[in-house]
Amino acid sequence: MSDVLDPATETRADTDDLERRRAQEKRLREVWATPGGWRYWTSVNNTDIGVWYASAAFLFMLFAGVLALLVRTQLAVPDNDFLSADLFNQAFTLHGTVMMFLFAVPIFESFAIFVLPGMLGTRELPFPRLSAFGFWSFAIGGVFVCGSILFNAAPSAGWFMYPPLATNKEQIGIGADIWLLGLSFIEVASLAAAVELIVGIMKFRAPGMRVNMMPLFAWYLLIVAGMILFAFPPLIAGDLLFELQRLFDWPFFDPARGGDPLLWQHLFWIFGHPEVYIVFLPAIALMAMIVPTFAQRPIVGYSWIVLAAVGTGFLSFGLWVHHMFTTGLPAISLAFFSAASEAVAIPTGVQIFVFIATLLAGRVIFSVPMLFGAGGLVIFVIGGLTGVMVAIAPFDWQAHDTYFIVAHLHYVLIGGMLFPIVAGLYYYFPLISGKLLSDRLGKIAFWLMFTGFNIGFFPMHLTGLRGMPRRVFTYPPDMGFDWLNLVSTIGAFVFASGILVIVVDVVWPRKKQPKAPINPWDAGTLEWLTAPDENWGMRSIPEIRTRYPLWQEKTLRREVDEGRWYLPDAEEGHREALMTSVLDGEAQEVFRVPGVSVLPILCAVFLGGAFIAMTFEAWWTTLVCSVIFFGFLMAWIWIGTAQIPEKEKKDIGRGVSLPLYVSGQPSAGWWAMFITMVGDGTAFASLMFGYFFYWTIHADFTAGSEAPGAFWPLTSLALFLAAWALMAVSKRVNTSGRTTLFRLLLMASLALTVAASLAGLAGPWFGGMDPTMHIYPAIVWVIVAWTIAHAAVGVVMQAFCLVASYAGRLTARYDKDIHNVVLYWHFLMVTAAVTFAVIGLFPRMV
Amino acid sequence: MLARHAGKITGIAAALSPVGGLTGCAGMQSALDPAGHEAQELYLLFLGMCAGGAVVFISVVSLLIYAVHHQRRVHSDRVVARLILWGTVTTVAVLTVLLTFSLALWPGLRPVQAEGQPAIEITVTGHQFWWDVRYQTPDGQAVVVAANEVRLPVGERVFLTLESADMIHSFWIPALAGKMDMVPGRSTHLSLLATRPGVFRGPCAEYCGTSHALMAFSAVAMEPAAFTAWLAARRMPSPTAQAAGLQAFLSNGCGGCHTISGTEARGKIGPDLSHVGSRETIGAGILPNTVQSIARFIKEPDTIKPGVRMPSFRMLPDEEIAGIAQYLKGLQ
C-alpha cells in the first residue's frame, strides 16, 4: 500500500488518535464479548470453541489411554484373568474407536478452529455457530460412546466392526448400534467442520494473501478437510447399510441372501486409510509451523512441501486394499496396491527432507516444541520403514493382524501425530493463556514418553513375528513372547507417566507466573498478532504481501494493533470479517459473522437425542427429537443466515468500501453448499459402488426379479428433470424482478418434485420388492430412499424460498437463498438421474 | 532362489542380531523360525528389509541430529535444496528396487494347483472357535474328516481351500507360511510346502468373537511315508475298549453335535471326534490332550472358552465324565 506511516503526522495527531482508538476498541470488545454466567457455554467464538474442543478431545484421549493400560495389564503375563474376555474385547474396541474418532480427528479440528483465523489474518471462521454445533455434537456423541463401557454395553467387535460378527445381534449387543449411530453423529460433526475449514481457508484470508502465500498449516488443513469430504461419506454410507441390517434385517453383508461381508471392508478402508493421513497431515502441518520458527528462517522448498502434501492426500485414496491383503483378492490387485502403498512413501519422505533441509539452513534454537517435534520424527521414521515393509503384500501375509502391525501403527500415529500435537500444545499454549508451559516439565515428559514408548512398542515387532495375533485377550505361556509382553506393559506405564506430567503442566495454576511476551518464540506468521486476552482476533485486518509477515514487515504489528488497517471498528454493532477471493485474496465483501446463540446447542442436543433414541429403537422419542431438531434448525437458518443489511456498502478504512451482501458463486454460503454437496455426492457414489459391487460378485444379480421395471423409474426421472428445469428458470425470473411468476414457478417445481418422488417409490413398491429377502431389492430400496430423502430436503428448501419471498427476505437484489437452493438442485438432479437411469435400465442391459 | 542361501544367511543373522540367539527357543508359532518354503523366503525378505531399514534410519536420524545441533555453519539454500532432491531420488530408487525384487519373488510363493495336477487337498472350515479339517487324497476317493489339527507331508505341496461357517477367521501357520482369511460365502485358497518335520501351532488371526484368543490348531509336518500311513489309519474307525464311555457319550446326547466314525454319533455342529485321542491338543489348540483336560472341558467348556457353543455338563457325576474322557482319549 502507498500510505506508509508518517512519524510526523502521527505525533501531531497522537491524542486524538488515542481516544478514537480507545473508542474503537471498546466497541469491538463489546461486539466480540463472550457472555458471562451459564451463557458462557453459548459462546461461538473460535477461541472458546477451539479450547473446549481440544480439552474434550484430550479428555477422551486420557480415557482411551486408561483403556490401553487395562489391556496392557491383562497382557502382562500369559493366561491372565485380570479382565474377562468380553471386557477385554470392549476395552480394545473402545480404545481404537476413541483414539481415532474422538481424539485424532477432533484434536486437529480444534487446533484449526483455534488457530486458523489468526493465521489467515481474519477475525473468525465464516460459520462459528456451525463450529459450536460441531463441538456440542462431538461432546454428546463422545460421552455416549465412551459411557457405554460403564454399563458393560460398549462395542466389542473391534474398531473396524467387520460383519458378520458385528452384525450378529446375539453375539454383539447394543454396543454395535452405539458405535454406528454414535459415530455417525460425530462424523456429521466432522463433515461440518470440514466444510467450515475449507470455506474459511479459501474465502477468509487477509487481503493480498494469495494461495501461494498461505501459511503451510492452512495448506495442509485445506487438503485434509478436502480428504474428509471424500473419505467420511463412504463410511457414512457403510454405516447406513450396516444399521439397516442390524435394525431391519436388510441383508447387505449376509452371504446367505446375496450379501457380502467384504463390501463393508472396502467401504470401511476407503474411509480408513485416508483417515490415517487425515490424522497425520495436520500434525506435519504443525511441524511445518514450528520448524521454521525454531530455525529462524522461512521454510526451504515451500512448493515442494505443498505438492508433497497434495500428493500424499491424493495417493492415500488408492491404498485401502493394503488392509485387505489376506482376504484372497486376485494377485494383480494386490500387486497394484502394493506398488501404490510404496509410492506414498515418496511424498512423505519429501516432507521429512524439507524439515531437515530447513533446519540445516537455519540456526536452530532448541526448545520443548522442537524436542517433541524431533523425537516424533525419529519415531515416525521407524513407523514409516515398517510401513514400507508391510506394503509388500507377501510380507504382510505374515505380519497382518499381528503385534508387528500394532507396533507399526503406533510408531506411525504416536510419532507422526501425538508427539507433534504435544509440540503444538507447548508451542501454541501462550496463545491460549498468555503464559508459557514449563520447560522443565516438558523435558521430563518428553523423556518419559520417548523412552516409555520405545520400551513399550519396539518389542512388539518381535512379538508379532513370533506369532502373537492382535486382539487376543490372553496367550499361552512359552510361545516365545512372555517376557516381550511384560516389557511392553512396563513401557506402556512409563509412557503413560509422561502423559501425566503433561496433564500436570497444563492444569498447574499459573496465577503468579509472569505473562509471556506476545510472540514468545519470535515466529513469523500472523497468528502471533492475536492477543490472548482479546476476543476479536486481529485488532485490524492487514493486507499481506509476504509468507512470514512478522519477519518480513517490521512495522506490521504496530499498524495492526493501532487499528490502522481494515475494519478497525464495529460501529454498527456487528461481528465482521473480510471475505476475499479464492486464489488472489482480493477483498470482496464485509461478511457479518453470526454471534452468540443458543441454537447450535439446542440443535446438537436434539439431533443427538434422535440418534441415541434410535440406538434403543425408541422410535417415538426419535421422531419427537427429530421434529424439534428440525424446528430449531429452521429457526437457525431463518434468523442466522442471509440477513439483509441496513446499507449496501461499508467503508472499511483506508478509503476502501465493500458491499455488505454478495450472493451466488462469490459468497461463502454458496461455497459451503457446494462443498457439502460434493461430500454428499461421495456418499451417494459409495452406495452406487455397492450396487455394482453386488453385480460383479453375482452371476444372477437380480435373482430373477423384473422389478422395479423401467416405466416408473423413467417417469420419475422425467419429473425430476422438469422440476429441476423450473428451479433453474425461477432463479433468472427472480433476478429479473418478476416476483409473482417466480413464486408460481417455485410452487410448480415443488409439486413436480413431490410427484417425482412418488413415482420413484412406485417402481420398487409395485414391483413387490421385499428388502429383507435378498440383496437386490435391498440395494435398490436404499438407493431410491436416499434420492427421495434428498428430494424431501429439496422440497423443504423450495418451501423456505417461498416463505422467504412472501416475507420479503428473498428479493431480486437479496437472493442468496435461491442461488444456494438452485445449486443444491443441480446436485439433486445428478443424483436422481443416476439413480433412476441405473435402477430402471441397468438390469435390462446385462 | 533364496532358499539355497537360507541356512548361511540365517546363521549370520542370528549371530549379528541382538535378539537372534533367542529366535530358536520357542518357535512353534514363530515366523522367524521357518519350516516352510513361503515362511523361509519371507523371513529372508524380512532380514533384508531390516538391514536396509537400519541403514535408512541411521542416515536420517544422524542427519536430523546434525541439523539440530550444528551451530557454526548455516548451509546455503542451494545446498539444502540439493538434499531434498537427492533424498527424494534415493527414496524412489530404494523403493523401486524393493518392489521389483518382491514382485519377482511373488509368483513362486503360492503357486495355484494346475488343472488335473494330483495333490493332497485339504479343506479347512473355520467355526467359532474351532477348525473343521477335511483331507482329500490325490486319487480323489477318500475324504478323511478331522478337526483342530492339520497334518501334511514334508516336501510335498498341499493345496488348501479355506471356508467359514460363521464369522471371518484367518488361517495362519507362521512357521510354514503367511495367513489367509476365511470369509463366509467365499472360498479362499492357500498352498503349503513344509521343508522340515515338526509340530507347529496356528492361531486364528482374524478377530472372530469372544474367544478369538482361544482358537488355534496344531500343524504337524510328517515324513511322506508316515503321513500316508497316518491318513490310511484315519479312514478306519478307531478300535476302542471303552464301551461304557461310549454309552455315556451317546446317552448324554453328545452325538447330537459330534461325529465318531463307526458309532451312532453323527452330529455335524461340533468338531469330529473320530480320532480325537491321537491329536496334539484339545479344545482347538488350548489344552494338552490328557484324560484330565478332556474331562475338564466336558465339565466347564464355558469357563475354559467364553462364548463357546458347547453346553457345560457340570450336572453329570464326575465318574461319568471321567468315563467319557477315558473313552475319547482312547480314540487313537
Side-chain angles (χ1 to χ4, degrees):
Chain A
M1 300 295 288
S2 53
D3 46 348
V4 191
L5 285 185
D6 178 351
T9 43
E10 200 196 4
T11 344
R12 205 169 18 169
D14 231 12
T15 335
D16 282 1
D17 202 40
L18 204 63
E19 244 164 64
R20 192 171 50 85
R21 265 163 35 201
R22 291 262 158 80
Q24 287 179 341
E25 281 170 7
K26 185 161 172 288
R27 283 191 290 270
L28 272 175
R29 205 166 281 134
E30 267 166 27
V31 163
W32 289 93
T34 297
W38 68 270
R39 283 177 186 279
Y40 169 68
W41 299 104
T42 62
S43 170
V44 298
N45 203 302
N46 75 296
T47 47
D48 294 325
I49 300 286
V51 171
W52 300 345
Y53 221 140
S55 312
F58 266 113
L59 285 176
F60 287 132
M61 187 269 275
L62 294 178
F63 170 77
V66 170
L67 293 176
L69 291 180
L70 292 178
V71 162
R72 273 322 317 169
T73 307
Q74 165 71 9
L75 293 175
V77 290
D79 288 335
N80 199 0
D81 60 357
F82 172 72
L83 293 180
S84 72
D86 186 49
L87 202 56
F88 180 92
N89 294 341
Q90 292 185 33
F92 84 71
T93 300
L94 217 47
H95 167 73
T97 303
V98 171
M99 284 297 189
M100 286 311 255
F101 291 98
L102 302 184
F103 174 61
V105 176
I107 192 70
F108 100 75
E109 286 174 343
S110 67
F111 267 64
I113 287 171
F114 182 84
V115 86
L116 256 183
M119 225 176 243
L120 297 171
T122 183
R123 289 241 164 85
E124 196 25 302
L125 289 168
F127 313 113
R129 290 180 180 175
L130 193 63
S131 302
F133 170 74
F135 164 72
W136 288 107
S137 300
F138 163 70
I140 293 168
V143 168
F144 176 57
V145 172
C146 291
S148 62
I149 199 166
L150 303 177
F151 301 91
N152 200 25
S156 61
W159 87 284
F160 44 89
M161 292 284 286
Y162 280 2
L165 179 63
T167 45
N168 186 312
K169 283 189 127 174
E170 282 158 29
Q171 295 193 24
I172 305 293
I174 196 164
D177 304 302
I178 290 172
W179 191 98
L180 286 160
L181 293 169
L183 293 183
S184 297
F185 181 47
I186 291 166
E187 283 149 24
V188 171
S190 290
L191 278 169
V195 172
E196 164 93 321
L197 295 178
I198 295 176
V199 179
I201 295 167
M202 293 205 306
K203 299 287 296 178
F204 287 79
R205 304 194 299 267
M209 188 188 279
R210 298 198 311 269
V211 280
N212 63 347
M213 284 182 197
M214 276 184 353
L216 287 168
F217 188 83
W219 260 114
Y220 271 90
L221 266 289
L222 183 62
I223 294 161
V224 167
M227 289 167 69
I228 288 185
L229 208 57
F230 290 104
F232 276 54
L235 181 63
I236 291 176
D239 284 354
L240 176 67
L241 302 183
F242 208 119
E243 203 48 42
L244 283 171
Q245 176 158 355
R246 277 192 66 99
L247 287 178
F248 308 118
D249 194 31
W250 292 22
F252 296 107
F253 310 115
D254 176 10
R257 288 176 286 168
D260 188 353
L262 283 194
L263 175 63
W264 169 260
Q265 294 194 17
H266 282 291
L267 291 176
F268 185 83
W269 291 115
I270 289 173
F271 146 78
H273 199 79
E275 162 85 352
V276 175
Y277 292 87
I278 287 170
V279 166
F280 162 69
L281 289 177
I284 295 301
L286 283 172
M287 293 297 297
M289 302 310 285
I290 292 170
V291 165
T293 297
F294 291 101
Q296 285 291 296
R297 57 152 297 139
I299 197 112
V300 178
Y302 179 94
S303 19
W304 279 82
I305 194 166
V306 169
L307 283 176
V310 173
T312 311
F314 187 75
L315 279 174
S316 74
F317 282 86
L319 314 178
W320 82 91
V321 167
H322 74 213
H323 298 265
M324 300 167 70
F325 276 162
T326 64
T327 54
L329 296 176
I332 186 75
S333 51
L334 299 196
F336 173 81
F337 282 97
S338 261
S341 305
E342 297 296 0
V344 81
I346 297 165
T348 310
V350 170
Q351 295 168 66
I352 293 173
F353 292 130
V354 164
F355 292 149
I356 295 179
T358 305
L359 292 171
L360 278 173
R363 284 187 198 284
V364 179
I365 302 165
F366 215 67
S367 63
V368 172
M370 267 310 282
L371 196 57
F372 273 98
L377 201 59
V378 171
I379 292 174
F380 177 77
V381 168
I382 296 183
L385 289 168
T386 52
V388 165
M389 294 184 189
V390 293
I392 301 291
F395 179 68
D396 187 61
W397 295 337
Q398 283 287 24
H400 180 72
D401 267 342
T402 69
Y403 267 80
F404 189 89
I405 300 294
V406 178
H408 159 69
L409 78 92
H410 285 93
Y411 268 86
V412 168
L413 290 176
I414 290 183
M417 183 261 166
L418 186 67
F419 273 66
I421 287 279
V422 177
L425 175 70
Y426 274 79
Y427 183 64
Y428 279 123
F429 197 76
L431 279 187
I432 303 172
S433 71
K435 295 178 180 176
L436 286 161
L437 287 172
S438 156
D439 202 49
R440 206 161 61 96
L441 288 181
K443 280 180 181 150
I444 295 173
F446 171 79
W447 286 109
L448 283 173
M449 283 171 71
F450 188 79
T451 50
F453 174 79
N454 284 297
I455 294 170
F457 288 90
F458 198 80
M460 287 185 191
H461 293 106
L462 195 55
T463 313
L465 290 178
R466 286 184 168 193
M468 180 152 157
R470 297 171 75 175
R471 300 160 190 139
V472 290
F473 74 90
T474 189
Y475 54 91
D478 301 324
M479 283 293 150
F481 35 70
D482 299 8
W483 66 272
L484 290 169
N485 274 301
L486 187 60
V487 169
S488 288
T489 302
I490 292 167
F493 277 92
V494 175
F495 179 70
S497 66
I499 304 262
L500 200 63
V501 172
I502 293 176
V503 172
V504 168
D505 198 4
V506 169
V507 300
W508 196 263
R510 307 196 126 68
K511 290 255 159 57
K512 289 184 192 154
Q513 187 179 322
K515 288 231 163 213
I518 199 97
N519 182 3
W521 315 107
D522 191 14
T525 40
L526 284 178
E527 72 272 25
W528 296 99
L529 280 180
T530 59
D533 36 15
E534 299 289 2
N535 278 326
W536 58 51
M538 301 273 140
R539 171 66 181 82
S540 60
I541 298 175
E543 185 152 325
I544 294 304
R545 278 152 286 179
T546 55
R547 282 181 189 155
Y548 294 89
L550 299 192
W551 287 342
Q552 288 157 328
E553 299 165 48
K554 292 293 178 197
T555 55
L556 190 72
R557 172 183 297 283
R558 211 171 108 211
E559 294 165 25
V560 166
D561 285 348
E562 290 177 354
R564 297 186 187 280
W565 281 99
Y566 301 127
L567 282 179
D569 202 348
E571 53 274 54
E572 298 96 353
H574 291 288
R575 295 186 176 192
E576 286 166 335
L578 285 185
M579 190 180 78
T580 48
S581 67
V582 174
L583 293 179
D584 293 329
E586 285 166 16
Q588 289 175 321
E589 183 198 36
V590 176
F591 184 85
R592 295 250 160 107
V593 187
V596 178
S597 166
V598 75
L599 284 167
I601 303 189
L602 292 173
C603 281
V605 165
F606 286 98
L607 184 60
F611 272 99
I612 291 168
M614 216 190 300
T615 313
F616 298 100
E617 304 189 26
W619 300 115
W620 282 109
T621 318
T622 308
L623 187 69
V624 170
C625 283
S626 307
V627 169
I628 297 175
F629 161 72
F630 180 75
F632 283 130
L633 183 66
M634 287 296 117
W636 176 356
I637 296 171
W638 186 267
I639 306 167
T641 66
Q643 297 302 300
I644 297 177
E646 74 286 351
K647 57 184 176 188
E648 271 299 302
K649 290 200 151 200
K650 172 167 170 151
D651 178 15
I652 59 166
R654 302 200 160 215
V656 179
S657 179
L658 288 176
L660 280 160
Y661 191 104
V662 174
S663 61
Q665 192 264 330
S667 78
W670 189 93
W671 278 96
M673 175 65 82
F674 182 83
I675 292 160
T676 308
M677 292 318 291
V678 168
D680 183 80
T682 310
F684 174 68
S686 309
L687 292 178
M688 292 312 298
F689 173 81
Y691 184 94
F692 290 106
F693 179 85
Y694 289 125
W695 171 64
T696 60
I697 63 167
H698 291 302
D700 181 20
F701 166 53
T702 64
S705 168
E706 289 290 315
F711 174 74
W712 286 114
L714 294 183
T715 308
S716 176
L717 178 54
L719 290 168
F720 269 116
L721 205 60
W724 166 73
L726 290 190
M727 286 307 290
V729 174
S730 79
K731 186 176 85 177
R732 295 184 173 205
V733 168
N734 178 56
T735 312
S736 69
R738 283 172 289 173
T739 311
T740 316
L741 181 58
F742 167 64
R743 290 172 187 162
L744 284 174
L745 283 171
L746 267 181
M747 287 179 213
S749 178
L750 195 153
L752 280 171
T753 312
V754 173
S757 303
L758 292 175
L761 292 170
W765 182 263
F766 291 129
M769 299 180 91
D770 178 355
T772 61
M773 289 297 290
H774 191 263
I775 189 62
Y776 176 65
I779 191 77
V780 168
W781 266 117
V782 161
I783 290 170
V784 170
W786 177 271
T787 305
I788 304 304
H790 281 70
V793 175
V795 166
V796 170
M797 288 183 178
Q798 291 166 326
F800 186 93
C801 287
L802 267 176
V803 177
S805 173
Y806 282 110
R809 96 197 262 288
L810 170 57
T811 66
R813 164 69 187 95
Y814 298 109
D815 56 352
K816 274 184 182 174
D817 289 332
I818 190 68
H819 275 278
N820 298 349
V821 167
V822 168
L823 178 61
Y824 175 87
W825 266 87
H826 293 327
F827 281 90
L828 176 57
M829 187 56 229
V830 175
T831 304
V834 172
T835 297
F836 295 111
V838 167
I839 67 161
L841 300 177
F842 185 73
R844 266 144 231 282
M845 287 156 43
V846 292
Chain B
M1 163 179 69
L2 283 167
R4 257 180 284 137
H5 309 287
K8 208 173 11 172
I9 299 177
T10 313
I12 296 168
L16 291 179
S17 149
V19 289
L22 299 162
T23 52
C25 63
M28 264 191 113
Q29 195 170 312
S30 176
L32 304 178
D33 197 1
H37 172 253
E38 182 180 316
Q40 182 70 45
E41 302 269 296
L42 294 181
Y43 176 54
L44 296 175
L45 176 68
F46 170 66
L47 291 181
M49 290 194 297
C50 279
V55 172
V56 173
F57 178 75
I58 290 167
S59 324
V60 172
V61 171
S62 320
L63 200 59
L64 178 68
I65 291 172
Y66 170 71
V68 170
H69 283 294
H70 79 105
Q71 295 290 341
R72 301 224 185 93
R73 202 173 126 225
V74 168
H75 299 267
S76 74
D77 282 22
R78 224 167 54 96
V79 171
V80 297
R82 227 177 273 160
L83 167 77
I84 303 177
L85 180 68
W86 285 106
T88 311
V89 170
T90 314
T91 313
V92 175
V94 169
L95 291 174
T96 309
V97 170
L98 174 63
L99 195 66
T100 314
F101 180 76
S102 78
L103 285 176
L105 179 72
W106 205 322
L109 290 179
R110 289 184 180 175
V112 287
Q113 189 175 11
E115 195 70 41
Q117 176 192 359
I120 296 155
E121 294 171 36
I122 307 176
T123 302
V124 184
T125 307
H127 293 255
Q128 273 184 326
F129 301 92
W130 60 281
W131 319 77
D132 177 89
V133 184
R134 280 151 207 269
Y135 300 82
Q136 187 156 40
T137 48
D139 54 40
Q141 296 300 315
V143 173
V144 169
V145 183
N148 300 331
E149 186 169 283
V150 173
R151 291 192 181 236
L152 66 170
V154 171
E156 273 178 50
R157 192 167 279 280
V158 296
F159 294 89
L160 291 99
T161 301
L162 305 172
E163 289 170 352
S164 168
D166 39 48
M167 304 309 169
I168 302 175
H169 305 278
S170 192
F171 181 92
W172 183 37
I173 310 167
L176 297 185
K179 57 188 71 66
M180 179 58 85
D181 292 355
M182 306 165 124
V183 185
R186 289 174 175 246
S187 290
T188 51
H189 301 277
L190 181 67
S191 69
L192 296 174
L193 176 59
T195 50
R196 66 173 161 88
V199 179
F200 311 105
R201 191 169 185 270
C204 175
E206 180 63 64
Y207 178 65
C208 60
T210 314
S211 278
H212 160 61
L214 302 176
M215 178 174 173
F217 62 94
S218 320
V220 185
M222 309 167 83
E223 293 301 345
F227 175 77
T228 313
W230 174 84
L231 197 60
R234 288 301 163 277
R235 296 190 201 182
M236 304 294 159
S238 171
T240 176
Q242 309 280 341
L246 173 60
Q247 264 316 309
F249 185 86
L250 294 174
S251 63
N252 286 302
C254 304
C257 294
H258 297 284
T259 294
I260 296 175
S261 61
T263 74
E264 292 158 37
R266 294 205 184 84
K268 302 282 181 212
I269 295 167
D272 186 298
L273 299 177
S274 298
H275 294 271
V276 67
S278 67
R279 291 180 196 152
E280 294 287 328
T281 60
I282 62 151
I286 58 172
L287 292 176
N289 193 350
T290 63
V291 176
Q292 289 76 14
S293 39
I294 296 177
R296 212 186 126 210
F297 198 92
I298 297 170
K299 198 168 178 182
E300 44 174 28
D302 52 342
T303 318
I304 297 172
K305 201 181 243 195
V308 72
R309 292 183 72 186
M310 177 167 157
S312 72
F313 287 84
R314 286 191 185 82
M315 65 293 182
L316 295 187
D318 282 351
E319 312 82 71
E320 201 168 339
I321 292 180
I324 299 174
Q326 292 270 349
Y327 161 69
L328 291 175
K329 181 64 194 162
L331 295 173
Q332 292 289 328

